[in-house]
Amino acid sequence: MWKGNLPREILSAGKRGYAASAPLPYPEGTEVVDCALGTNPLGMPPSAKRALEEGAGTDLCRYPSPEPEDLKLAIPSRYPSWRLCREQILVGSGSMGVLVNLLRLLLRPGTTFSGISPQFTDTVLQALYAGASYRPVILEGPQYRMDCDGILQALRESPAVFYLDRPNNPTGQVLPLRDVERIAARALDRGTWVISDEAYGDFIPDGESSACLEYPNLVTCRSFSKGLGLAGIRVGYAITRDPELAGLFRAVQPPFAVGTMDAALAAAALEDRDFLDRTRLYVEGAKKKTLDAIAGRPEWWAGETDGRVPILLLSQQSGDLPRRLARAGIACEPGEGFFHLDNRSARLRVPAPGKLEIFLERLARA
């Protein structure tokens, strides 16, 4: 009996996170073009590289601060249009760590977790592991176009949490801010929390972030992994206008959740506006070329997407699309890693600048 009562029911979710998908077979001797995980195609920001070099003498023997105060000052300074004070900023171990803590607070066994499907799988899984039931608004393929009225209809059921990844993962479409405001207002009337996960939020203007909206039931989560090019440091944060939620979050947050160097690198990345500008400019051009290439293939469809966001959902009528792309030397995220998708679909991220032309050539003959 030494194992105790392990919660084996979590296996009933029947799915793993998309990043845990089995590796695909690629042609031997072919250098794979990486269009899979959502890292920055331009790599790591120069400001973070400099901070890493300058921080070589940092005393890492000491524990980090309970909260990274310098970073909490840097965030409102970088985003003045959000009108934040430091108490409204909840920093954690990656945006995923922040989301886990939020779901721990906002869900109970038997409650309902809603959203738009397909969407970021791992947050849904964490809700299921917490004992919630998942009742999303299921988007219709092959366009998978989001509709605010459908979301408002779903809120009539008063779910405990409505989860909106914005930009959406895997489609890359962005629900307009005015629609987010309508959703937050309706959810407030229904006693529902809204989590706006802006992991890809740096690819849209600051003024379009849901962090601009001051609803007490709306929580915005942000990441340093995508537009800011620091997936390896595992720092994320949430913004809440509800003081009680902020206090509870700090109560359940494990101690020393963010390392000293991680916090310093994150703050340095916020200062490098030129890097983000260059990233946005490249992504927009590369995505247009990608969508143009797909439009020339009648057997493929790109779902509804925003040209500013580096990901898109590609689908075909039948067959295994991820394996088809792999045979051409292109890495993607298989559709089967998302709820309500299968491997007739794949998520693509625009490749690094040096690989774009090779990618387009391989896509043309896949």
Side-chain angles (χ1 to χ4, degrees):
M1 298 301 293
W2 57 272
K3 288 188 177 181
N5 296 316
L6 291 174
R8 297 179 182 86
E9 63 273 12
I10 66 173
L11 299 176
S12 65
K15 190 176 288 292
R16 296 189 301 169
Y18 67 82
S21 299
L24 292 165
Y26 299 101
E28 188 173 352
T30 299
E31 184 180 1
V32 176
V33 176
D34 182 11
C35 298
L37 290 176
T39 54
N40 189 308
L42 269 60
M44 181 176 171
S47 60
K49 291 180 182 178
R50 290 192 297 270
L52 193 59
E53 294 168 357
E54 294 167 1
T58 300
D59 185 2
L60 298 182
C61 176
R62 297 178 181 274
Y63 280 101
S65 301
E67 291 190 71
E69 298 299 333
D70 288 348
L71 178 57
K72 289 176 63 178
L73 290 173
I75 291 168
S77 176
R78 171 63 181 81
Y79 304 105
S81 63
W82 298 354
R83 302 179 300 277
L84 298 176
C85 61
R86 58 176 298 282
E87 290 80 11
Q88 297 169 329
I89 302 169
L90 310 173
V91 184
S93 179
S95 60
M96 193 69 243
V98 171
L99 285 163
V100 168
N101 279 338
L102 288 171
L103 296 181
R104 182 180 177 186
L105 292 169
L106 303 180
L107 294 175
R108 295 289 182 275
T111 53
T112 301
F113 178 85
S114 189
I116 295 173
S117 189
Q119 62 184 156
F120 179 52
T121 307
D122 287 86
T123 304
V124 178
L125 288 173
Q126 291 299 325
L128 293 173
Y129 299 157
S133 60
Y134 182 43
R135 297 180 186 171
V137 177
I138 301 174
L139 304 180
E140 184 177 349
Q143 292 303 116
Y144 299 98
R145 184 176 290 111
M146 291 189 293
D147 173 40
C148 183
D149 290 337
I151 298 172
L152 297 176
Q153 182 77 16
L155 290 172
R156 292 184 178 182
E157 303 298 320
S158 299
V161 173
F162 190 91
Y163 174 67
L164 178 70
D165 41 353
R166 179 182 178 269
N168 173 262
N169 177 7
T171 66
Q173 62 187 302
V174 181
L175 199 67
L177 186 61
R178 63 180 179 275
D179 287 342
V180 180
E181 184 163 21
R182 291 174 65 198
I183 291 165
R186 178 69 59 84
L188 187 61
D189 290 339
R190 306 300 301 181
T192 295
W193 289 92
V194 177
I195 296 177
S196 177
D197 183 356
E198 294 188 348
Y200 287 90
D202 284 302
F203 293 98
I204 61 176
D206 301 343
E208 291 186 30
S209 170
S210 57
C212 296
L213 302 176
E214 299 187 11
Y215 284 81
N217 62 322
L218 174 64
V219 184
T220 301
C221 294
R222 301 280 291 200
S223 171
F224 288 86
S225 300
K226 319 295 186 188
L228 296 178
L230 291 175
I233 67 169
R234 311 316 305 142
V235 177
Y237 62 96
I239 294 161
T240 178
R241 261 74 180 191
D242 186 89
E244 186 177 12
L245 177 62
L248 290 171
F249 184 96
R250 293 185 172 100
V252 302
Q253 172 91 293
F256 316 117
V258 179
T260 303
M261 283 300 298
D262 292 343
L265 292 172
L270 290 176
E271 298 173 0
D272 199 339
R273 301 193 183 204
D274 178 66
F275 175 77
L276 183 56
D277 288 342
R278 288 189 289 111
T279 297
R280 288 173 170 173
L281 183 63
Y282 168 73
V283 163
E284 195 161 353
K287 188 160 184 181
K288 183 181 185 306
K289 290 182 178 181
T290 301
L291 290 172
D292 287 346
I294 292 168
R297 302 289 295 273
E299 76 275 27
W300 282 348
W301 303 275
E304 185 79 10
T305 195
D306 189 303
R308 302 169 295 181
V309 181
I311 56 173
L312 62 92
L313 184 64
L314 181 64
S315 301
Q316 61 186 22
Q317 186 68 36
S318 62
D320 193 316
L321 180 55
R323 285 183 175 272
R324 181 177 180 176
L325 294 172
R327 287 194 295 269
I330 298 171
C332 66
E333 292 300 338
E336 67 180 4
F338 296 87
F339 284 91
H340 305 106
L341 288 181
D342 57 34
N343 276 1
R344 289 174 296 175
S345 299
R347 193 198 75 184
L348 289 171
R349 186 210 73 237
V350 299
K355 301 293 182 183
L356 178 59
E357 295 307 318
I358 297 172
F359 163 69
L360 294 172
E361 291 171 6
R362 292 182 182 181
L363 200 61
R365 63 173 186 263

